[in-house]
Amino acid sequence: MLAALRCMVMRDLVLAVRRVSDVLTTLFFFVIVVSLFPLGVGPEMEMLRTIAPGVVWVAAILASMLALGRLFGHDYGDGTLEQMLLAPQPLALLVLGKVLAHWLVTGLPLVLMAPLLGLQFGLDTVALEVLVISLLLGTPAISLIGAVGAALTLGVRGGGVLVSLLVLPLYIPVLIFGAGAVEAEAAGLGAGGHLSLLGAIAVLALCFAPLAAAAALRISLE
Amino acid sequence: MSTAGINWFKYSSPATFYPLAGRMIPWFAALAVVSAVAGLYLGFFVAPPDYQQGDAYRIMFIHVPAAWMSMFIYVVMAGYAALGLIFNTRLSAMMASALAPTGAMFTFLALWTGALWGKPMWGTWWVWDARLTSELILLFLYIGYMSLEAAIDDPRRASRASGLLAIVGVVNVPIIYYSVQWWNTLHQGASISFDKAPTMAATMLAALLVMTFACWMYAIAIVLMRVRNIILERERHSEWVMGVLEEEK
């Protein structure tokens, strides 16, 4: 079973490396959205520092949501997904592998890019650290929850817009605790509580989201 | 064979449920009208003005039942969706999709009347209070459910997919609710609290309960009407629907 999981991850990574532009598009979308905020609200450093965690988090959520279409889209188009449904390995495991690979190519670059953007917003070192940790815990949860939405909207007309309507409300807890962690640290409250809750959400999503996404795939492909 | 007792599944078939719903609708509708009139009379003419809020509080008699219904209907909808997914009963899925617009309507009503109540009381239409925010998110969940169902052409797949979404949503509702609450309270103490005067006058409470009953009856009646339409639409190729339509002509 672990072999199947590893095989799935490696396959999707290879496919992603062959289409580097897809990965870069997500990353640059993230950078551009974050850069728009100072232009929109003005360059006062004090204000930018207070809105930075929220801005980075919202942009990260939007960027990974945009990439959701690619999670199952290609495999659905060329029929690979139907073969996965027929595979002897549990579908939830294969879905987990796909989500893991998806996070490695879309979520992780965002996490690595975040401190640079945080610097532009005048965050200090401690806040940057918390921001990175919160994104590191939160983006897997976002990919996992998003997988359910992506599976449900597979092959549906207007699926790209629809998926945002489905998953954005479900992202709210992640956003609250992710951005809240940085703000709590800045307010001197300590980010521990928020990060623990964020971790709890990630574990919960890890347990249930692959099952729900697998069920959704079966509905979409029947 | 006749000792087998009650057939619990008799009314889980659309063909038998359709006439039953038709017979029940007038009762629930009548109860809704009677209790709404009684509740509004109690609320507007009998209940005393609040000592702090004056007469403006009277919007509570529609606001609070609407808010209760909005949350309750979502849970019921998810329950029907789960039944539909587990037992593959067509009627459960139809009930779930019939409930969604009513639930969304109540959510919207709760938000709208809340804004109207907030303006004279707090001096603002909207605050990012935990309750307001979670009610808004609930509206988003309803809208997501309905748009997913509308986007899929095959009704069977549509109801299964949206059913799964409703279940995922109901798992998330407590998490969202508490996260929003902590989000607000961790930040700063809420500048406006919902806690009203410690005790309510008995007539106020009576009016509120009667209005809640009216909302219940209204919701049941309207959902039964809607589910009858959905049954006819989805079962239009079956013979019994032809028979029903011939009769009603």
Side-chain angles (χ1 to χ4, degrees):
Chain A
M1 286 226 301
L2 276 181
L5 183 71
R6 214 179 56 134
C7 175
M8 199 73 232
V9 175
M10 293 312 284
R11 168 186 175 274
D12 275 19
L13 285 181
V14 169
L15 286 179
V17 169
R18 290 190 186 152
R19 286 168 163 255
V20 184
S21 67
D22 281 0
V23 180
L24 291 179
T25 320
T26 312
L27 190 59
F28 281 114
F29 175 83
F30 176 60
V31 175
I32 288 173
V33 168
V34 173
S35 316
L36 285 181
F37 275 87
L39 302 175
V41 301
E44 293 86 12
M45 221 49 190
E46 200 46 51
M47 183 170 58
L48 288 182
R49 196 173 295 130
T50 43
I51 64 167
V55 167
V56 173
W57 257 97
V58 170
I61 280 179
L62 291 179
S64 41
M65 196 195 67
L66 273 188
L68 278 180
R70 262 181 282 128
L71 180 54
F72 299 117
H74 293 315
D75 286 350
Y76 177 69
D78 62 13
T80 320
L81 208 53
E82 283 174 30
Q83 301 304 315
M84 285 177 202
L85 255 68
L86 298 174
Q89 284 80 18
L91 182 59
L93 189 79
L94 301 180
V95 169
L96 181 64
K98 284 193 77 66
V99 174
L100 199 61
H102 183 77
W103 177 75
L104 285 174
V105 293
T106 59
L108 197 58
L110 302 186
V111 178
L112 298 177
M113 188 56 105
L116 196 64
L117 296 171
L119 272 182
Q120 285 187 316
F121 279 71
L123 289 181
D124 57 23
T125 329
V126 184
L128 284 179
E129 220 170 83
V130 177
L131 181 67
V132 170
I133 296 173
S134 72
L135 280 169
L136 207 53
L137 286 170
T139 44
I142 284 177
S143 290
L144 283 160
I145 298 169
V148 182
L152 279 174
T153 53
L154 209 54
V156 172
R157 73 187 125 79
V161 187
L162 190 59
V163 76
S164 60
L165 217 55
L166 302 189
V167 299
L168 283 182
L170 303 180
Y171 283 165
I172 287 169
V174 183
L175 171 67
I176 287 176
F177 294 125
V182 188
E183 281 163 25
E185 185 65 45
L189 291 169
H194 282 92
L195 290 178
S196 306
L197 282 166
L198 205 55
I201 292 175
V203 171
L204 211 62
L206 187 67
C207 293
F208 294 111
L211 294 172
L217 280 181
R218 285 192 198 282
I219 292 171
S220 294
L221 286 176
E222 71 185 8
Chain B
M1 287 301 279
S2 58
T3 54
I6 312 162
N7 179 6
W8 292 103
F9 294 103
K10 185 177 178 205
Y11 289 113
S12 66
S13 146
T16 48
F17 186 75
Y18 180 82
L20 175 74
R23 283 198 302 279
M24 289 196 301
I25 287 170
W27 293 97
F28 285 113
L31 279 174
V33 172
V34 170
S35 50
V37 170
L40 288 177
Y41 177 77
L42 275 179
F44 279 108
F45 299 106
V46 181
D50 188 78
Y51 79 100
Q52 271 181 325
Q53 307 196 358
D55 276 329
Y57 87 95
R58 289 183 201 274
I59 201 164
M60 169 183 92
F61 296 124
I62 188 67
H63 173 75
V64 174
W68 282 344
M69 293 304 289
S70 68
M71 286 179 264
F72 187 71
I73 287 180
Y74 193 86
V75 177
V76 174
M77 186 180 88
Y80 272 119
L83 277 181
L85 279 181
I86 294 166
F87 297 113
N88 219 350
T89 43
R90 297 195 302 281
L91 190 59
S92 314
M94 292 176 192
M95 280 300 284
S97 53
L99 278 161
T102 305
M105 189 275 290
F106 274 121
T107 317
F108 182 75
L109 196 65
L111 285 169
W112 198 264
T113 53
L116 292 180
W117 193 5
K119 187 64 182 170
M121 288 307 115
W122 308 331
T124 167
W125 300 107
W126 182 264
V127 282
W128 288 96
D129 176 86
R131 287 199 195 194
L132 280 77
T133 315
S134 43
E135 192 73 11
L136 185 68
I137 297 165
L138 189 65
L139 183 65
F140 294 156
L141 288 176
Y142 274 120
I143 291 173
Y145 175 91
M146 289 191 290
S147 25
L148 179 64
E149 197 178 33
I152 305 177
D153 289 325
D154 173 22
R156 202 166 152 270
R157 191 192 148 188
S159 58
R160 285 167 68 85
S162 52
L164 187 72
L165 181 74
I167 295 168
V168 172
V170 91
V171 172
N172 259 280
V173 161
I175 301 177
I176 293 174
Y177 183 75
Y178 284 108
S179 64
V180 168
Q181 216 163 28
W182 287 332
W183 161 67
N184 193 285
T185 45
L186 278 178
H187 247 56
Q188 57 191 31
S191 43
I192 300 136
S193 157
F194 262 96
D195 298 332
K196 287 185 276 292
T199 49
M200 242 189 257
T203 42
M204 280 187 205
L205 187 65
L208 188 61
L209 291 179
V210 173
M211 280 307 290
T212 309
F213 184 73
C215 285
W216 268 86
M217 293 303 118
Y218 163 78
I220 294 175
I222 203 85
V223 166
L224 286 179
M225 282 161 115
R226 196 175 292 122
V227 83
R228 263 163 69 96
N229 288 341
I230 296 177
I231 288 175
L232 284 187
E233 198 184 333
R234 292 200 189 163
E235 306 273 306
R236 63 179 177 274
H237 303 300
S238 64
E239 283 198 5
W240 72 266
V241 171
M242 297 292 175
V244 167
L245 293 182
E246 286 294 323
E247 252 172 57
E248 286 181 4
K249 233 182 229 173

